Protein backbone atom coordinates (compact mmCIF):
# COMPACT_ATOMS: atom_id res chain seq x y z
CA UNK A 1 0.00 0.00 0.00
CA UNK A 2 2.83 2.42 0.81
CA UNK A 3 4.34 1.80 -2.62
CA UNK A 4 1.16 2.96 -4.33
CA UNK A 5 1.21 6.15 -2.24
CA UNK A 6 4.81 6.94 -3.14
CA UNK A 7 4.25 6.00 -6.79
CA UNK A 8 1.19 8.24 -6.92
CA UNK A 9 3.09 11.18 -5.38
CA UNK A 10 5.96 10.64 -7.84
CA UNK A 11 3.59 10.48 -10.83
CA UNK A 12 1.42 13.44 -9.81
CA UNK A 13 4.46 15.65 -9.24
CA UNK A 14 6.44 14.47 -12.30
CA UNK A 15 9.27 13.68 -9.91
CA UNK A 16 11.15 11.35 -12.24
CA UNK A 17 11.69 13.99 -14.92
CA UNK A 18 12.71 16.95 -12.74
CA UNK A 19 16.28 15.78 -12.10
CA UNK A 20 18.91 14.47 -14.48
CA UNK A 21 20.18 10.91 -14.04
CA UNK A 22 23.76 11.94 -13.08
CA UNK A 23 22.36 14.05 -10.23
CA UNK A 24 19.93 11.32 -9.17
CA UNK A 25 22.90 8.96 -8.89
CA UNK A 26 24.94 11.50 -6.88
CA UNK A 27 22.02 12.10 -4.53
CA UNK A 28 21.33 8.42 -3.95
CA UNK A 29 25.02 7.60 -3.47
CA UNK A 30 25.22 10.23 -0.75
CA UNK A 31 22.14 8.81 0.99
CA UNK A 32 22.47 5.06 0.45
CA UNK A 33 26.26 4.86 0.48
CA UNK A 34 28.87 7.58 0.78
CA UNK A 35 29.71 10.41 -1.50
CA UNK A 36 29.30 14.09 -2.06
CA UNK A 37 27.05 16.03 -4.38
CA UNK A 38 28.09 18.82 -6.71
CA UNK A 39 26.59 22.29 -6.43
CA UNK A 40 24.81 21.70 -9.75
CA UNK A 41 23.08 18.60 -8.41
CA UNK A 42 22.35 20.32 -5.13
CA UNK A 43 20.42 22.94 -7.10
CA UNK A 44 18.59 20.26 -9.08
CA UNK A 45 17.61 18.49 -5.87
CA UNK A 46 16.13 21.68 -4.41
CA UNK A 47 14.17 22.25 -7.65
CA UNK A 48 12.97 18.63 -7.42
CA UNK A 49 11.40 19.52 -4.08
CA UNK A 50 11.21 17.85 -0.70
CA UNK A 51 7.99 15.96 -1.49
CA UNK A 52 9.55 14.28 -4.53
CA UNK A 53 12.85 13.69 -2.77
CA UNK A 54 11.14 11.95 0.16
CA UNK A 55 8.83 9.87 -2.04
CA UNK A 56 11.71 8.68 -4.23
CA UNK A 57 13.82 7.69 -1.21
CA UNK A 58 10.89 5.85 0.42
CA UNK A 59 10.04 4.03 -2.81
CA UNK A 60 13.68 2.98 -3.16
CA UNK A 61 13.64 1.58 0.39
CA UNK A 62 10.68 -0.62 -0.60
CA UNK A 63 12.81 -2.29 -3.29
CA UNK A 64 13.97 -5.78 -2.19
CA UNK A 65 17.53 -4.87 -3.22
CA UNK A 66 17.66 -2.51 -0.24
CA UNK A 67 16.04 -4.84 2.32
CA UNK A 68 19.22 -5.09 4.41
CA UNK A 69 19.43 -1.35 4.97
CA UNK A 70 18.07 0.28 8.09
CA UNK A 71 15.15 2.48 6.93
CA UNK A 72 15.47 4.84 9.91
CA UNK A 73 19.14 5.47 9.11
CA UNK A 74 18.44 6.06 5.42
CA UNK A 75 15.53 8.40 6.13
CA UNK A 76 17.70 10.33 8.60
CA UNK A 77 20.47 10.65 5.98
CA UNK A 78 17.86 11.74 3.44
CA UNK A 79 16.62 14.52 5.73
CA UNK A 80 20.19 15.54 6.57
CA UNK A 81 21.07 15.65 2.85
CA UNK A 82 18.01 17.79 2.11
CA UNK A 83 18.77 20.22 4.96
CA UNK A 84 22.44 20.50 3.91
CA UNK A 85 21.41 21.39 0.37
CA UNK A 86 18.94 24.01 1.52
CA UNK A 87 21.61 25.57 3.70
CA UNK A 88 24.09 25.55 0.81
CA UNK A 89 21.60 27.06 -1.64
CA UNK A 90 20.47 29.71 0.84
CA UNK A 91 23.92 30.70 2.04
CA UNK A 92 25.46 33.80 0.48
CA UNK A 93 28.30 33.24 -1.96
CA UNK A 94 31.72 34.28 -0.71
CA UNK A 95 33.02 37.49 -2.20
CA UNK A 96 35.85 37.17 -4.66
Amino acid sequence: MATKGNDQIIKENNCEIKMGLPCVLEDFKSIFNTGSISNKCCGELVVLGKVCHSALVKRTLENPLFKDLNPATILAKSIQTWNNFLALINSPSPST
Side-chain angles (χ1 to χ4, degrees), residues 29-42:
K29 281 181 189 174
S30 75
I31 295 169
F32 289 90
N33 201 343
T34 57
S36 60
I37 300 179
S38 65
N39 287 345
K40 175 187 178 293
C41 291
C42 177

Side-chain angles (χ1 to χ4, degrees), residues 65-81:
L65 292 172
F66 297 96
K67 70 180 189 298
D68 294 334
L69 297 177
N70 181 332
T73 301
I74 297 300
L75 292 173
K77 282 181 80 175
S78 171
I79 292 166
Q80 179 183 20
T81 299

Side-chain angles (χ1 to χ4, degrees), residues 22-57:
C23 290
V24 169
L25 294 175
E26 277 188 32
D27 181 30
F28 274 61
K29 281 181 189 174
S30 75
I31 295 169
F32 289 90
N33 201 343
T34 57
S36 60
I37 300 179
S38 65
N39 287 345
K40 175 187 178 293
C41 291
C42 177
E44 282 193 30
L45 180 63
V46 172
V47 169
L48 175 70
K50 188 172 185 175
V51 169
C52 284
H53 176 70
S54 295
L56 289 165
V57 169

Side-chain angles (χ1 to χ4, degrees), residues 1 8 12-14 16 18 21-22 25 39 43 46 49 51-52 60 62-63 70 76-77 79 81 83-85 90 95:
M1 196 66 137
Q8 187 173 354
E12 289 174 356
N13 292 285
N14 296 315
E16 293 180 316
K18 289 183 178 178
L21 182 60
L25 294 175
N39 287 345
V46 172
V51 169
C52 284
T60 301
E62 294 167 353
N63 185 315
N70 181 332
K77 282 181 80 175
I79 292 166
T81 299
N83 290 337
N84 288 346
F85 292 153
N90 293 324
S95 301

